Amino acid sequence: MKKAHWIAFALMLCLPLCLIAQPSANKTGWQAGVAKRVITPKEPLWMAGFASRTEPSKGTLHDLWIKALALEDAEGYQSLLVTSDLLGIPKDLSDRIRERLKVTHGLEKSQIILNSSHTHSAPVLSHSLSDIYPMQANHLQAVKRYSDELVEQIIALASEALEGLEPATVFAQNGVARFQVNRRNNSAQHLQRLTELSGPMDPAVPVLKVLNSAGDLMAIAFGYACHPTVLGDYEWSGDYPGFAQMELEKLYPGTTALFFQGAGADQNPLPRHTVPLAIQYGKTLAAAVERVLSEDMKALEPKIRTAYAEVELPLTKAPTSSELSDYINKSSGYQQQWAKRLLSRLEAGEKFETSYPYPVQVWNLGDQPIFTLGGELVVGYAIELKRIFGQHAFVMGYSNDVMSYIPTTTILREGGYEGATAQMVYGLPSTWGSDSEIMILHRLVQLAKEAEVAQPEEKLF
Ligand SMILES: [Zn+2]
């Protein structure tokens, strides 16, 4: 073979290999991909969130969505944010989704955020809140069918976003909106005549902006810390976050708007209970995002760092069988149902769990830290994390697993719904241990180091 033929032969061999080794054309900046899918149930299902509902859904106010934003940094490292118009994704489904994404796309848990808006007008999912709805066997089968299909939908959604990666630029900034009210410290009934509001709150509206190489808006990921409980009837809807996403997609045609829930567990939108109010709050939130988008936002370096852990959060001593029997006699509704189920577990020789693997995670996009925590996260966590890491930090609750409320030590001591009785709603045997808050924050400080979140300067003088 002549020398020229050898070169041609070598090129023929090398070219396909070179193409495989070089999956992205642009290795100097961000790559981003977005996808969205409708997940409105096609049949009536029980709706999640309010124990007062007595029958399955009766129609649709607007569609429910799952949405994904995939990012890849200059080194080819990827992250995937999935947002959903759902009450919360329980551990069983979250584990299934993340195990599948590990196999199909090689993504570790640290690289995936599964956040739910916590709308109270979405379907009940498998393995969650089993004591609070009086569902028959056929209802449970329908919930299982929907949940299994949801897993497939999220995998397909993630694939679409990851396969659609294209050169992009990414920006971050916090805005502000104030329609949330601390529900533990203010009476909804007397709100109209209150001249001041009490209790901690977080008015931040964190915004991520993603532009394509032509400078067009591809995606807006934005959040707020407030319960989507404006609506509670029998029609599917994303509540105020649904209206906010619709408003932004109308304002910026061709853009995908993804809502993530913050530390809104003890915050309610007040007043509430009408569709016009849900629209008002949606537009208010969209206007806050619009303001941020119209101003200079911080451009992020194409660098992704992620860290994830599960903290074994301790549970306090579980009730004995005689305590449960007493409680069954003096309680009713879901509380009685909870006690009956626990008693039957004891009678079957089961032992109650003494701790729970609680997910915490840190992303650092450029120098933008994002803290994600599982469960219904009260606002005190966002306030404390921002006190430690700076007001520019983003905090998400309701991420990767929603197993119950996550109170601060103060709320644990005060008790009430978020501090104590919500554990029954979620089927846990007892309250969280008093050192839970400190364990969670301690682990997040460690994860922030792992994710290279800027640390305070170590200067003695
Ligand atoms: Zn809630």
Side-chain angles (χ1 to χ4, degrees):
M1 204 184 283
K2 285 182 185 168
K3 191 179 171 191
H5 289 156
W6 273 113
I7 293 168
F9 184 62
L11 273 175
M12 270 170 56
L13 272 180
C14 166
L15 206 56
L17 289 174
C18 294
L19 286 173
I20 290 167
Q22 182 85 23
S24 324
N26 176 355
K27 277 289 174 187
T28 57
W30 286 106
Q31 302 269 323
V34 287
K36 60 179 183 177
R37 278 170 183 242
V38 170
I39 52 160
T40 315
K42 295 182 183 75
E43 59 182 325
L45 287 179
W46 276 77
M47 301 176 79
F50 290 115
S52 54
R53 287 193 181 103
T54 53
E55 56 187 322
S57 64
K58 289 178 188 165
T60 302
L61 179 61
H62 60 232
D63 274 326
L64 305 175
W65 294 84
I66 45 171
K67 299 178 182 176
L69 169 62
L71 291 174
E72 185 177 298
D73 70 9
E75 294 165 353
Y77 189 70
Q78 295 177 332
S79 66
L80 179 73
L81 167 66
V82 176
T83 62
S84 53
D85 295 326
L86 292 168
L87 187 80
I89 299 178
K91 180 173 170 53
D92 174 74
L93 293 183
S94 176
D95 283 349
R96 278 165 64 190
I97 293 162
R98 291 179 296 171
E99 278 160 21
R100 289 274 296 280
L101 288 173
K102 165 92 175 147
V103 174
T104 55
H105 294 90
L107 294 178
E108 300 292 338
K109 282 183 177 174
S110 78
Q111 294 169 275
I112 304 163
I113 297 173
L114 300 177
N115 182 277
S116 299
S117 75
H118 198 50
T119 174
H120 281 46
S121 298
V124 173
L125 298 177
S126 298
H127 305 285
S128 62
L129 304 155
S130 41
D131 294 325
I132 70 167
Y133 315 113
M135 291 193 286
Q136 309 297 320
N138 61 325
H139 297 139
L140 288 166
Q141 279 163 9
V143 162
K144 184 179 181 315
R145 271 198 305 279
Y146 180 84
S147 303
D148 290 345
E149 174 62 20
L150 179 70
V151 172
E152 300 307 320
Q153 289 269 47
I154 291 178
I155 301 301
L157 175 89
S159 299
E160 196 183 328
L162 286 159
E163 283 156 20
L165 287 171
E166 59 177 290
T169 44
V170 184
F171 304 80
Q173 201 75 34
N174 266 310
V176 63
R178 296 179 190 274
F179 59 83
Q180 88 285 52
V181 176
N182 187 308
R183 69 188 197 187
R184 292 176 61 84
N185 299 73
N186 302 281
S187 156
Q189 211 186 338
H190 302 128
L191 189 74
Q192 302 291 5
R193 46 190 164 89
L194 290 181
T195 54
E196 56 186 58
L197 298 174
S198 309
M201 42 86 95
D202 177 13
V205 179
V207 181
L208 275 182
K209 175 176 82 171
V210 183
L211 303 180
N212 67 14
S213 56
D216 297 328
L217 200 51
M218 285 174 70
I220 310 160
F222 67 105
Y224 194 53
C226 180
H227 255 63
T229 47
V230 183
L231 304 176
D233 62 6
Y234 291 88
E235 289 190 320
W236 304 121
S237 92
D239 206 280
Y240 79 80
F243 284 109
Q245 292 172 91
M246 285 162 59
E247 183 69 10
L248 286 166
E249 292 183 356
K250 198 167 76 185
L251 279 169
Y252 305 98
T255 300
T256 301
L258 307 89
F259 174 85
F260 54 84
Q261 182 57 254
D266 48 352
Q267 313 289 309
N268 265 348
L270 294 179
R272 52 183 185 162
H273 300 316
T274 71
V275 173
L277 276 168
I279 295 171
Q280 179 191 326
Y281 298 142
K283 286 187 172 177
T284 302
L285 192 50
V289 174
E290 190 185 11
R291 191 272 287 185
V292 173
L293 295 174
S294 70
E295 294 184 343
D296 276 347
M297 294 179 71
K298 180 176 66 175
L300 304 182
E301 291 288 312
K303 188 182 83 173
I304 302 172
R305 298 290 183 268
T306 65
Y308 175 93
E310 288 173 5
V311 183
E312 275 304 321
L313 274 196
L315 288 159
T316 52
K317 191 175 162 294
T320 61
S321 47
S322 70
E323 285 168 337
L324 286 168
S325 301
D326 283 351
Y327 193 71
I328 289 167
N329 290 330
K330 65 183 183 192
S331 62
S332 60
Y334 75 81
Q335 296 181 336
Q336 189 184 53
Q337 193 58 30
W338 166 83
K340 282 181 180 169
R341 192 173 52 78
L342 256 59
L343 186 59
S344 68
R345 281 181 65 187
L346 280 183
E347 285 169 354
E350 276 186 53
K351 282 206 163 64
F352 294 137
E353 51 275 39
T354 55
S355 66
Y356 189 95
Y358 176 70
V360 284
Q361 180 178 31
V362 180
W363 276 12
N364 197 12
L365 304 180
D367 60 351
Q368 176 61 50
I370 301 174
F371 296 88
T372 94
L373 298 88
E376 297 213 36
L377 191 70
V378 299
V379 79
Y381 283 90
I383 291 169
E384 189 59 15
L385 286 165
K386 290 180 185 191
R387 193 181 66 76
I388 299 169
F389 293 99
Q391 293 301 317
H392 66 297
F394 292 179
V395 179
M396 300 183 197
Y398 301 83
S399 296
N400 300 318
D401 179 8
V402 178
M403 74 305 290
S404 188
Y405 275 76
I406 301 299
T408 53
T409 310
T410 306
I411 292 179
L412 258 182
R413 290 178 68 87
E414 289 170 356
Y417 183 71
E418 295 86 354
T421 46
Q423 299 292 83
M424 294 182 195
V425 172
Y426 276 94
L428 290 168
S430 56
T431 55
W432 296 116
S434 58
D435 40 1
S436 296
E437 179 184 355
I438 207 79
M439 290 175 72
I440 292 168
L441 291 172
H442 177 249
R443 199 73 185 94
L444 280 166
V445 168
Q446 290 176 327
L447 293 180
K449 273 187 198 165
E450 236 179 89
E452 300 174 18
V453 172
Q455 300 295 312
E457 287 184 34
E458 293 173 1
K459 272 194 274 185
L460 191 56
F461 298 103

